mmCIF file of all heavy atoms in Angstrom:
data_model
loop_
_atom_site.group_PDB
_atom_site.id
_atom_site.type_symbol
_atom_site.label_atom_id
_atom_site.label_comp_id
_atom_site.label_asym_id
_atom_site.label_seq_id
_atom_site.Cartn_x
_atom_site.Cartn_y
_atom_site.Cartn_z
ATOM 1 N N ILE A 51 -26.833 -15.837 17.191
ATOM 2 C CA ILE A 51 -26.115 -16.076 15.928
ATOM 3 C C ILE A 51 -26.170 -14.832 15.056
ATOM 4 O O ILE A 51 -25.178 -14.433 14.449
ATOM 5 C CB ILE A 51 -26.702 -17.313 15.201
ATOM 6 C CG1 ILE A 51 -26.385 -18.583 15.986
ATOM 7 C CG2 ILE A 51 -26.155 -17.412 13.786
ATOM 8 C CD1 ILE A 51 -27.058 -19.832 15.464
ATOM 9 N N PHE A 52 -27.327 -14.178 15.007
ATOM 10 C CA PHE A 52 -27.477 -12.950 14.228
ATOM 11 C C PHE A 52 -26.557 -11.850 14.761
ATOM 12 O O PHE A 52 -25.875 -11.166 13.990
ATOM 13 C CB PHE A 52 -28.943 -12.491 14.246
ATOM 14 C CG PHE A 52 -29.167 -11.199 13.522
ATOM 15 C CD1 PHE A 52 -29.178 -11.155 12.143
ATOM 16 C CD2 PHE A 52 -29.355 -10.005 14.224
ATOM 17 C CE1 PHE A 52 -29.367 -9.964 11.457
ATOM 18 C CE2 PHE A 52 -29.550 -8.817 13.560
ATOM 19 C CZ PHE A 52 -29.557 -8.784 12.172
ATOM 20 N N ILE A 53 -26.482 -11.675 16.048
ATOM 21 C CA ILE A 53 -25.631 -10.644 16.659
ATOM 22 C C ILE A 53 -24.160 -10.937 16.378
ATOM 23 O O ILE A 53 -23.393 -10.039 16.022
ATOM 24 C CB ILE A 53 -25.913 -10.530 18.177
ATOM 25 C CG1 ILE A 53 -27.311 -9.939 18.402
ATOM 26 C CG2 ILE A 53 -24.854 -9.673 18.869
ATOM 27 C CD1 ILE A 53 -27.774 -9.963 19.844
ATOM 28 N N ILE A 54 -23.758 -12.187 16.495
ATOM 29 C CA ILE A 54 -22.361 -12.566 16.203
ATOM 30 C C ILE A 54 -22.039 -12.304 14.736
ATOM 31 O O ILE A 54 -20.971 -11.784 14.405
ATOM 32 C CB ILE A 54 -22.112 -14.047 16.584
ATOM 33 C CG1 ILE A 54 -22.157 -14.207 18.105
ATOM 34 C CG2 ILE A 54 -20.772 -14.527 16.029
ATOM 35 C CD1 ILE A 54 -22.088 -15.642 18.584
ATOM 36 N N ALA A 55 -22.950 -12.620 13.838
ATOM 37 C CA ALA A 55 -22.725 -12.384 12.405
ATOM 38 C C ALA A 55 -22.565 -10.897 12.125
ATOM 39 O O ALA A 55 -21.688 -10.487 11.349
ATOM 40 C CB ALA A 55 -23.860 -12.969 11.574
ATOM 41 N N VAL A 56 -23.380 -10.058 12.759
ATOM 42 C CA VAL A 56 -23.273 -8.606 12.568
ATOM 43 C C VAL A 56 -21.932 -8.100 13.081
ATOM 44 O O VAL A 56 -21.264 -7.284 12.436
ATOM 45 C CB VAL A 56 -24.460 -7.882 13.266
ATOM 46 C CG1 VAL A 56 -24.230 -6.386 13.320
ATOM 47 C CG2 VAL A 56 -25.761 -8.197 12.559
ATOM 48 N N ILE A 57 -21.488 -8.594 14.236
ATOM 49 C CA ILE A 57 -20.190 -8.181 14.801
ATOM 50 C C ILE A 57 -19.055 -8.581 13.875
ATOM 51 O O ILE A 57 -18.127 -7.801 13.632
ATOM 52 C CB ILE A 57 -20.015 -8.774 16.213
ATOM 53 C CG1 ILE A 57 -21.000 -8.110 17.182
ATOM 54 C CG2 ILE A 57 -18.577 -8.592 16.705
ATOM 55 C CD1 ILE A 57 -21.049 -8.747 18.555
ATOM 56 N N VAL A 58 -19.100 -9.782 13.306
ATOM 57 C CA VAL A 58 -18.060 -10.250 12.394
ATOM 58 C C VAL A 58 -18.016 -9.374 11.142
ATOM 59 O O VAL A 58 -16.940 -8.961 10.685
ATOM 60 C CB VAL A 58 -18.275 -11.740 12.025
ATOM 61 C CG1 VAL A 58 -17.375 -12.156 10.876
ATOM 62 C CG2 VAL A 58 -18.035 -12.619 13.235
ATOM 63 N N VAL A 59 -19.171 -9.057 10.588
ATOM 64 C CA VAL A 59 -19.226 -8.205 9.390
ATOM 65 C C VAL A 59 -18.655 -6.823 9.690
ATOM 66 O O VAL A 59 -17.882 -6.267 8.907
ATOM 67 C CB VAL A 59 -20.675 -8.113 8.845
ATOM 68 C CG1 VAL A 59 -20.792 -7.037 7.786
ATOM 69 C CG2 VAL A 59 -21.121 -9.456 8.305
ATOM 70 N N ILE A 60 -19.000 -6.266 10.834
ATOM 71 C CA ILE A 60 -18.474 -4.948 11.220
ATOM 72 C C ILE A 60 -16.961 -5.015 11.407
ATOM 73 O O ILE A 60 -16.223 -4.126 10.962
ATOM 74 C CB ILE A 60 -19.184 -4.432 12.487
ATOM 75 C CG1 ILE A 60 -20.641 -4.089 12.162
ATOM 76 C CG2 ILE A 60 -18.460 -3.226 13.067
ATOM 77 C CD1 ILE A 60 -21.491 -3.776 13.379
ATOM 78 N N ALA A 61 -16.461 -6.079 12.049
ATOM 79 C CA ALA A 61 -15.015 -6.214 12.270
ATOM 80 C C ALA A 61 -14.259 -6.336 10.953
ATOM 81 O O ALA A 61 -13.224 -5.695 10.756
ATOM 82 C CB ALA A 61 -14.737 -7.431 13.159
ATOM 83 N N VAL A 62 -14.772 -7.145 10.036
ATOM 84 C CA VAL A 62 -14.115 -7.303 8.731
ATOM 85 C C VAL A 62 -14.124 -5.982 7.973
ATOM 86 O O VAL A 62 -13.125 -5.574 7.377
ATOM 87 C CB VAL A 62 -14.800 -8.425 7.910
ATOM 88 C CG1 VAL A 62 -14.308 -8.430 6.476
ATOM 89 C CG2 VAL A 62 -14.560 -9.773 8.563
ATOM 90 N N GLY A 63 -15.231 -5.272 8.021
ATOM 91 C CA GLY A 63 -15.307 -3.969 7.359
ATOM 92 C C GLY A 63 -14.332 -2.973 7.957
ATOM 93 O O GLY A 63 -13.686 -2.199 7.241
ATOM 94 N N ALA A 64 -14.183 -2.981 9.276
ATOM 95 C CA ALA A 64 -13.248 -2.062 9.933
ATOM 96 C C ALA A 64 -11.812 -2.377 9.550
ATOM 97 O O ALA A 64 -11.020 -1.472 9.285
ATOM 98 C CB ALA A 64 -13.424 -2.135 11.449
ATOM 99 N N VAL A 65 -11.468 -3.652 9.515
ATOM 100 C CA VAL A 65 -10.103 -4.041 9.127
ATOM 101 C C VAL A 65 -9.830 -3.608 7.696
ATOM 102 O O VAL A 65 -8.771 -3.058 7.391
ATOM 103 C CB VAL A 65 -9.905 -5.573 9.287
ATOM 104 C CG1 VAL A 65 -8.622 -6.034 8.624
ATOM 105 C CG2 VAL A 65 -9.910 -5.950 10.755
ATOM 106 N N TYR A 66 -10.760 -3.827 6.796
ATOM 107 C CA TYR A 66 -10.583 -3.435 5.402
ATOM 108 C C TYR A 66 -10.465 -1.924 5.272
ATOM 109 O O TYR A 66 -9.614 -1.412 4.552
ATOM 110 C CB TYR A 66 -11.752 -3.948 4.554
ATOM 111 C CG TYR A 66 -11.688 -3.491 3.123
ATOM 112 C CD1 TYR A 66 -10.816 -4.094 2.228
ATOM 113 C CD2 TYR A 66 -12.476 -2.446 2.665
ATOM 114 C CE1 TYR A 66 -10.736 -3.668 0.913
ATOM 115 C CE2 TYR A 66 -12.406 -2.016 1.360
ATOM 116 C CZ TYR A 66 -11.527 -2.623 0.491
ATOM 117 O OH TYR A 66 -11.458 -2.200 -0.802
ATOM 118 N N PHE A 67 -11.332 -1.197 5.979
ATOM 119 C CA PHE A 67 -11.357 0.260 5.863
ATOM 120 C C PHE A 67 -10.088 0.903 6.420
ATOM 121 O O PHE A 67 -9.556 1.845 5.845
ATOM 122 C CB PHE A 67 -12.581 0.824 6.593
ATOM 123 C CG PHE A 67 -12.716 2.311 6.482
ATOM 124 C CD1 PHE A 67 -13.175 2.892 5.313
ATOM 125 C CD2 PHE A 67 -12.370 3.139 7.537
ATOM 126 C CE1 PHE A 67 -13.295 4.260 5.196
ATOM 127 C CE2 PHE A 67 -12.492 4.509 7.441
ATOM 128 C CZ PHE A 67 -12.954 5.074 6.272
ATOM 129 N N PHE A 68 -9.578 0.381 7.529
ATOM 130 C CA PHE A 68 -8.433 1.003 8.197
ATOM 131 C C PHE A 68 -7.090 0.433 7.775
ATOM 132 O O PHE A 68 -6.054 0.927 8.187
ATOM 133 C CB PHE A 68 -8.578 0.911 9.716
ATOM 134 C CG PHE A 68 -9.677 1.782 10.255
ATOM 135 C CD1 PHE A 68 -10.829 1.223 10.777
ATOM 136 C CD2 PHE A 68 -9.564 3.153 10.200
ATOM 137 C CE1 PHE A 68 -11.844 2.027 11.264
ATOM 138 C CE2 PHE A 68 -10.580 3.965 10.679
ATOM 139 C CZ PHE A 68 -11.720 3.406 11.216
ATOM 140 N N SER A 69 -7.068 -0.609 6.969
ATOM 141 C CA SER A 69 -5.793 -1.175 6.515
ATOM 142 C C SER A 69 -5.178 -0.245 5.478
ATOM 143 O O SER A 69 -5.877 0.375 4.680
ATOM 144 C CB SER A 69 -5.988 -2.570 5.923
ATOM 145 O OG SER A 69 -6.758 -2.507 4.768
ATOM 146 N N PRO A 70 -3.816 -0.147 5.476
ATOM 147 C CA PRO A 70 -3.173 0.734 4.491
ATOM 148 C C PRO A 70 -3.373 0.202 3.086
ATOM 149 O O PRO A 70 -3.305 -0.997 2.843
ATOM 150 C CB PRO A 70 -1.699 0.699 4.876
ATOM 151 C CG PRO A 70 -1.543 -0.507 5.736
ATOM 152 C CD PRO A 70 -2.871 -0.811 6.339
ATOM 153 N N LYS A 71 -3.647 1.096 2.181
ATOM 154 C CA LYS A 71 -3.869 0.722 0.784
ATOM 155 C C LYS A 71 -2.530 0.595 0.079
ATOM 156 O O LYS A 71 -1.672 1.454 0.189
ATOM 157 C CB LYS A 71 -4.718 1.781 0.063
ATOM 158 C CG LYS A 71 -6.039 2.067 0.740
ATOM 159 C CD LYS A 71 -6.986 0.903 0.620
ATOM 160 C CE LYS A 71 -8.351 1.230 1.138
ATOM 161 N NZ LYS A 71 -8.627 0.840 2.482
ATOM 162 N N ALA A 72 -2.345 -0.499 -0.662
ATOM 163 C CA ALA A 72 -1.120 -0.691 -1.431
ATOM 164 C C ALA A 72 -1.191 0.176 -2.675
ATOM 165 O O ALA A 72 -2.176 0.155 -3.408
ATOM 166 C CB ALA A 72 -0.954 -2.154 -1.820
ATOM 167 N N GLU A 73 -0.149 0.927 -2.904
ATOM 168 C CA GLU A 73 -0.092 1.767 -4.090
ATOM 169 C C GLU A 73 0.820 1.114 -5.115
ATOM 170 O O GLU A 73 1.770 0.426 -4.779
ATOM 171 C CB GLU A 73 0.453 3.148 -3.731
ATOM 172 C CG GLU A 73 -0.474 3.922 -2.819
ATOM 173 C CD GLU A 73 0.048 5.306 -2.517
ATOM 174 O OE1 GLU A 73 0.919 5.792 -3.265
ATOM 175 O OE2 GLU A 73 -0.404 5.891 -1.538
ATOM 176 N N LYS A 74 0.531 1.358 -6.365
ATOM 177 C CA LYS A 74 1.354 0.811 -7.430
ATOM 178 C C LYS A 74 2.735 1.452 -7.375
ATOM 179 O O LYS A 74 2.872 2.644 -7.187
ATOM 180 C CB LYS A 74 0.709 1.079 -8.790
ATOM 181 C CG LYS A 74 1.426 0.391 -9.904
ATOM 182 C CD LYS A 74 0.763 0.622 -11.221
ATOM 183 C CE LYS A 74 1.573 -0.064 -12.294
ATOM 184 N NZ LYS A 74 1.108 0.245 -13.596
ATOM 185 N N GLU A 75 3.754 0.606 -7.529
ATOM 186 C CA GLU A 75 5.117 1.111 -7.478
ATOM 187 C C GLU A 75 5.407 1.994 -8.684
ATOM 188 O O GLU A 75 5.038 1.666 -9.799
ATOM 189 C CB GLU A 75 6.092 -0.076 -7.510
ATOM 190 C CG GLU A 75 7.018 -0.089 -6.340
ATOM 191 C CD GLU A 75 7.925 -1.285 -6.387
ATOM 192 O OE1 GLU A 75 8.949 -1.218 -7.080
ATOM 193 O OE2 GLU A 75 7.598 -2.264 -5.721
ATOM 194 N N PRO A 76 6.067 3.115 -8.447
ATOM 195 C CA PRO A 76 6.385 3.995 -9.566
ATOM 196 C C PRO A 76 7.411 3.349 -10.494
ATOM 197 O O PRO A 76 8.185 2.494 -10.081
ATOM 198 C CB PRO A 76 6.970 5.239 -8.888
ATOM 199 C CG PRO A 76 7.471 4.754 -7.573
ATOM 200 C CD PRO A 76 6.575 3.602 -7.179
ATOM 201 N N GLU A 77 7.392 3.781 -11.737
ATOM 202 C CA GLU A 77 8.337 3.249 -12.714
ATOM 203 C C GLU A 77 9.775 3.666 -12.404
ATOM 204 O O GLU A 77 10.710 3.012 -12.772
ATOM 205 C CB GLU A 77 7.955 3.706 -14.122
ATOM 206 C CG GLU A 77 6.758 2.982 -14.682
ATOM 207 C CD GLU A 77 6.947 1.492 -14.745
ATOM 208 O OE1 GLU A 77 7.982 1.045 -15.265
ATOM 209 O OE2 GLU A 77 6.070 0.764 -14.269
ATOM 210 N N SER A 78 9.940 4.796 -11.778
ATOM 211 C CA SER A 78 11.278 5.210 -11.359
ATOM 212 C C SER A 78 11.171 5.795 -9.977
ATOM 213 O O SER A 78 10.125 6.245 -9.545
ATOM 214 C CB SER A 78 11.856 6.242 -12.332
ATOM 215 O OG SER A 78 11.062 7.388 -12.343
ATOM 216 N N GLU A 79 12.254 5.728 -9.246
ATOM 217 C CA GLU A 79 12.240 6.244 -7.896
ATOM 218 C C GLU A 79 13.487 7.074 -7.656
ATOM 219 O O GLU A 79 14.502 6.899 -8.309
ATOM 220 C CB GLU A 79 12.127 5.117 -6.884
ATOM 221 C CG GLU A 79 13.198 4.072 -7.020
ATOM 222 C CD GLU A 79 12.952 2.891 -6.119
ATOM 223 O OE1 GLU A 79 11.873 2.311 -6.193
ATOM 224 O OE2 GLU A 79 13.859 2.572 -5.356
ATOM 225 N N LYS A 80 13.384 7.962 -6.696
ATOM 226 C CA LYS A 80 14.494 8.858 -6.419
ATOM 227 C C LYS A 80 15.378 8.249 -5.346
ATOM 228 O O LYS A 80 14.906 7.742 -4.346
ATOM 229 C CB LYS A 80 13.967 10.215 -5.957
ATOM 230 C CG LYS A 80 13.168 10.922 -7.023
ATOM 231 C CD LYS A 80 12.638 12.227 -6.532
ATOM 232 C CE LYS A 80 11.829 12.892 -7.637
ATOM 233 N NZ LYS A 80 11.256 14.146 -7.232
ATOM 234 N N VAL A 81 16.674 8.317 -5.545
ATOM 235 C CA VAL A 81 17.642 7.792 -4.603
ATOM 236 C C VAL A 81 18.647 8.883 -4.305
ATOM 237 O O VAL A 81 19.145 9.540 -5.210
ATOM 238 C CB VAL A 81 18.366 6.555 -5.210
ATOM 239 C CG1 VAL A 81 19.401 6.028 -4.255
ATOM 240 C CG2 VAL A 81 17.361 5.489 -5.570
ATOM 241 N N SER A 82 18.948 9.044 -3.035
ATOM 242 C CA SER A 82 19.924 10.053 -2.659
ATOM 243 C C SER A 82 21.317 9.445 -2.774
ATOM 244 O O SER A 82 21.601 8.420 -2.179
ATOM 245 C CB SER A 82 19.670 10.523 -1.228
ATOM 246 O OG SER A 82 20.652 11.447 -0.845
ATOM 247 N N GLU A 83 22.169 10.072 -3.536
ATOM 248 C CA GLU A 83 23.516 9.565 -3.746
ATOM 249 C C GLU A 83 24.476 10.744 -3.772
ATOM 250 O O GLU A 83 24.361 11.627 -4.617
ATOM 251 C CB GLU A 83 23.555 8.795 -5.069
ATOM 252 C CG GLU A 83 24.806 7.989 -5.260
ATOM 253 C CD GLU A 83 24.700 7.132 -6.501
ATOM 254 O OE1 GLU A 83 23.995 6.118 -6.455
ATOM 255 O OE2 GLU A 83 25.341 7.499 -7.503
ATOM 256 N N ASN A 84 25.415 10.787 -2.831
ATOM 257 C CA ASN A 84 26.387 11.872 -2.719
ATOM 258 C C ASN A 84 25.697 13.240 -2.647
ATOM 259 O O ASN A 84 26.063 14.181 -3.328
ATOM 260 C CB ASN A 84 27.371 11.855 -3.890
ATOM 261 C CG ASN A 84 28.190 10.585 -3.918
ATOM 262 O OD1 ASN A 84 28.444 9.977 -2.871
ATOM 263 N ND2 ASN A 84 28.590 10.165 -5.089
ATOM 264 N N ASN A 85 24.677 13.320 -1.803
ATOM 265 C CA ASN A 85 23.921 14.557 -1.584
ATOM 266 C C ASN A 85 23.254 15.086 -2.851
ATOM 267 O O ASN A 85 22.866 16.237 -2.909
ATOM 268 C CB ASN A 85 24.812 15.646 -0.976
ATOM 269 C CG ASN A 85 25.254 15.276 0.416
ATOM 270 O OD1 ASN A 85 24.545 14.571 1.128
ATOM 271 N ND2 ASN A 85 26.418 15.744 0.812
ATOM 272 N N SER A 86 23.155 14.290 -3.880
ATOM 273 C CA SER A 86 22.435 14.703 -5.076
ATOM 274 C C SER A 86 21.347 13.669 -5.342
ATOM 275 O O SER A 86 21.478 12.509 -4.992
ATOM 276 C CB SER A 86 23.372 14.810 -6.279
ATOM 277 O OG SER A 86 23.887 13.550 -6.604
ATOM 278 N N GLU A 87 20.283 14.103 -5.950
ATOM 279 C CA GLU A 87 19.156 13.227 -6.197
ATOM 280 C C GLU A 87 19.303 12.570 -7.562
ATOM 281 O O GLU A 87 19.458 13.242 -8.571
ATOM 282 C CB GLU A 87 17.876 14.053 -6.136
ATOM 283 C CG GLU A 87 16.703 13.264 -5.674
ATOM 284 C CD GLU A 87 15.537 14.173 -5.399
ATOM 285 O OE1 GLU A 87 14.910 14.610 -6.371
ATOM 286 O OE2 GLU A 87 15.278 14.441 -4.223
ATOM 287 N N VAL A 88 19.266 11.236 -7.564
ATOM 288 C CA VAL A 88 19.380 10.471 -8.793
ATOM 289 C C VAL A 88 18.078 9.706 -8.977
ATOM 290 O O VAL A 88 17.566 9.115 -8.032
ATOM 291 C CB VAL A 88 20.568 9.479 -8.709
ATOM 292 C CG1 VAL A 88 20.648 8.645 -9.972
ATOM 293 C CG2 VAL A 88 21.858 10.213 -8.467
ATOM 294 N N ILE A 89 17.539 9.714 -10.180
ATOM 295 C CA ILE A 89 16.317 8.968 -10.460
ATOM 296 C C ILE A 89 16.716 7.648 -11.089
ATOM 297 O O ILE A 89 17.404 7.602 -12.105
ATOM 298 C CB ILE A 89 15.382 9.762 -11.389
ATOM 299 C CG1 ILE A 89 14.952 11.042 -10.682
ATOM 300 C CG2 ILE A 89 14.192 8.915 -11.781
ATOM 301 C CD1 ILE A 89 14.059 11.918 -11.510
ATOM 302 N N ARG A 90 16.275 6.566 -10.447
ATOM 303 C CA ARG A 90 16.601 5.232 -10.933
ATOM 304 C C ARG A 90 15.373 4.610 -11.566
ATOM 305 O O ARG A 90 14.266 4.710 -11.049
ATOM 306 C CB ARG A 90 17.086 4.359 -9.779
ATOM 307 C CG ARG A 90 18.355 4.885 -9.131
ATOM 308 C CD ARG A 90 19.526 4.017 -9.528
ATOM 309 N NE ARG A 90 20.790 4.643 -9.218
ATOM 310 C CZ ARG A 90 21.514 4.379 -8.150
ATOM 311 N NH1 ARG A 90 21.096 3.505 -7.263
ATOM 312 N NH2 ARG A 90 22.666 4.977 -7.967
ATOM 313 N N SER A 91 15.579 3.943 -12.661
ATOM 314 C CA SER A 91 14.496 3.292 -13.381
ATOM 315 C C SER A 91 14.304 1.876 -12.836
ATOM 316 O O SER A 91 15.258 1.222 -12.424
ATOM 317 C CB SER A 91 14.863 3.234 -14.865
ATOM 318 O OG SER A 91 13.870 2.589 -15.594
ATOM 319 N N VAL A 92 13.071 1.422 -12.837
ATOM 320 C CA VAL A 92 12.752 0.077 -12.382
ATOM 321 C C VAL A 92 12.140 -0.700 -13.545
ATOM 322 O O VAL A 92 11.212 -0.224 -14.192
ATOM 323 C CB VAL A 92 11.770 0.115 -11.186
ATOM 324 C CG1 VAL A 92 11.364 -1.281 -10.774
ATOM 325 C CG2 VAL A 92 12.387 0.855 -10.012
ATOM 326 N N TYR A 93 12.685 -1.888 -13.811
ATOM 327 C CA TYR A 93 12.218 -2.742 -14.904
ATOM 328 C C TYR A 93 11.556 -3.976 -14.277
ATOM 329 O O TYR A 93 12.208 -4.745 -13.572
ATOM 330 C CB TYR A 93 13.393 -3.154 -15.786
ATOM 331 C CG TYR A 93 12.978 -3.859 -17.052
ATOM 332 C CD1 TYR A 93 12.864 -3.162 -18.247
ATOM 333 C CD2 TYR A 93 12.692 -5.217 -17.055
ATOM 334 C CE1 TYR A 93 12.478 -3.802 -19.411
ATOM 335 C CE2 TYR A 93 12.302 -5.861 -18.217
ATOM 336 C CZ TYR A 93 12.195 -5.151 -19.386
ATOM 337 O OH TYR A 93 11.802 -5.786 -20.531
ATOM 338 N N SER A 94 10.277 -4.168 -14.526
ATOM 339 C CA SER A 94 9.529 -5.281 -13.945
ATOM 340 C C SER A 94 9.651 -6.528 -14.813
ATOM 341 O O SER A 94 9.442 -6.468 -16.015
ATOM 342 C CB SER A 94 8.056 -4.912 -13.801
ATOM 343 O OG SER A 94 7.899 -3.826 -12.933
ATOM 344 N N LEU A 95 9.975 -7.633 -14.166
ATOM 345 C CA LEU A 95 10.053 -8.924 -14.850
ATOM 346 C C LEU A 95 8.765 -9.702 -14.602
ATOM 347 O O LEU A 95 8.084 -9.486 -13.597
ATOM 348 C CB LEU A 95 11.237 -9.734 -14.324
ATOM 349 C CG LEU A 95 12.624 -9.159 -14.578
ATOM 350 C CD1 LEU A 95 13.679 -10.010 -13.887
ATOM 351 C CD2 LEU A 95 12.917 -9.088 -16.064
#
């Protein structure tokens, strides 16, 4: 039981460590439109 518990803790830690971190969405983002870069604003509801 002790060995299984240690394996589970290691597995959960590995999943957490290697999972991609979510980054906060920027307030504006760049969009390519007609070969020119346009910055679009994002309004959160």
